[in-house]
Amino acid sequence: MSRALEDALFGDLGYKARAVTRALSVLVAATLLVLAAGIVVRFHAAGQFEGRLWEFFAWKTTWAFLGKGLLGTLASAAAAAVIALVLGLVLLVGRLSRLRLVRWPAVAVIEFLRGVPTLLLIYVYFLVLPSVGIKLSAYWMLTLPVGLSTAAVVAEVYRAGVLAVPRGQTHAARALGLNEARVFAHVVFPQALRYIVPALVAQLVIVVKDTTFGYVVTYGELMQNARVLIANYRSLVPVYLAVAVLYCLVNYGLSRASRRLGRPMH
């Protein structure tokens, strides 16, 4: 790669480039403001800002009901995340195994779970398993499919992190006399985690969003409780706006936590 090309790709932005970037930023911001204003005008014309559609937010019972749904969402998402992180590690170890009898089944499970939609897995737990005598609570009929579906993606995220660790780290650990298991557990995997924290957090955000499928099994998560409020008060936009804010706060908390986990160790 020539020096001029390196400067163009990785060097500091010049005056003209900075000016173009600022102009584009202003243009995009202005466009978003115009779109937001248009949405607000349409909502106002449809009567979605009338007081009667918002007054029930002043009641403690409303927020208690939404809070109960939020706790249901967090409980399901937390358990699904644990399942995904643990099972994803098991699948990773299987995929990296030198034994074909271990590696190929792990690959098959990963590809199957990645290819099947989460909603379809939920229907299997909700409709198919009870027909053969396996009955689970609504909580597990939502949590298990979400956890399994995410585990396959997490396994691939883990693998990307492992492959990103410099090979010299592995060679150095082996030179010190460490066996393969200790090299992976004490050298490779801890470093891989540092590379993949953002990707893992992105998957955890998806887990939180996937809990919205709780309506299939009538599990009392946030969106399910929001639908109850909408049905009772005919307040579609206000309820969805409030729920959107709650989801944004949860995902923002996950992002903040990931920044702490992703800081380099000194």
Side-chain angles (χ1 to χ4, degrees):
M1 184 181 293
S2 66
R3 182 66 179 176
L5 184 56
E6 288 184 2
D7 291 339
L9 292 175
F10 307 112
D12 294 333
L13 293 176
Y15 175 77
K16 290 184 178 180
R18 289 197 297 269
V20 171
T21 301
R22 285 195 294 268
L24 290 176
S25 299
V26 171
L27 179 62
V28 171
T31 302
L32 292 176
L33 286 175
V34 170
L35 290 175
I39 292 172
V40 170
V41 170
R42 293 295 298 273
F43 282 165
H44 184 270
Q48 290 297 320
F49 294 124
E50 294 180 10
R52 62 182 179 82
L53 298 178
W54 294 81
E55 60 184 4
F56 65 94
F57 282 110
W59 305 342
K60 292 182 179 179
T61 53
T62 299
W63 291 106
F65 189 63
L66 287 176
K68 184 178 179 181
L70 179 60
L71 290 177
T73 292
L74 295 178
S76 179
V82 172
I83 292 171
L85 294 174
V86 175
L87 181 58
L89 181 58
V90 173
L91 292 173
L92 167 70
V93 173
R95 180 152 193 168
L96 296 179
S97 175
R98 296 180 179 179
L99 300 175
R100 292 184 179 181
L101 291 177
V102 176
R103 183 172 67 254
W104 287 115
V107 172
V109 171
I110 290 173
E111 295 304 323
F112 174 79
L113 292 177
R114 288 177 65 193
V116 176
T118 303
L119 185 58
L120 180 57
L121 288 178
I122 293 174
Y123 275 118
V124 169
Y125 275 77
F126 181 54
L127 299 176
V128 178
L129 293 187
S131 67
V132 296
I134 302 176
K135 296 182 180 180
L136 301 173
S137 65
Y139 173 80
W140 289 112
M141 284 191 291
L142 172 65
T143 302
L144 285 176
V146 172
L148 292 175
S149 181
T150 307
V153 181
V154 168
E156 290 299 282
V157 172
Y158 283 154
R159 189 165 73 99
V162 169
L163 295 178
V165 176
R167 298 290 296 175
Q169 299 287 331
T170 302
H171 297 326
R174 289 172 180 166
L176 294 175
L178 299 180
N179 59 32
E180 291 295 330
R182 296 185 65 185
V183 169
F184 178 81
H186 298 291
V187 178
V188 176
F189 193 65
Q191 294 185 70
L193 285 177
R194 290 289 172 176
Y195 294 127
I196 62 176
V197 165
L200 286 179
V201 172
Q203 289 305 313
L204 294 180
V205 170
I206 293 175
V207 167
V208 173
K209 293 178 180 179
D210 282 349
T211 59
T212 57
F213 290 134
Y215 72 91
V216 174
V217 296
T218 63
Y219 174 67
E221 43 81 37
L222 184 55
M223 282 298 296
Q224 177 69 9
N225 286 12
R227 290 186 178 91
V228 173
L229 291 177
I230 292 171
N232 288 336
Y233 299 106
R234 300 292 189 271
S235 180
L236 181 67
V237 173
V239 171
Y240 278 147
L241 284 176
V243 168
V245 170
L246 291 175
Y247 276 115
C248 287
L249 290 175
V250 171
N251 293 332
Y252 176 74
L254 290 174
S255 298
R256 292 286 296 179
S258 72
R259 292 176 189 173
R260 291 181 176 274
L261 292 174
R263 290 175 182 172
M265 293 180 294
H266 300 289

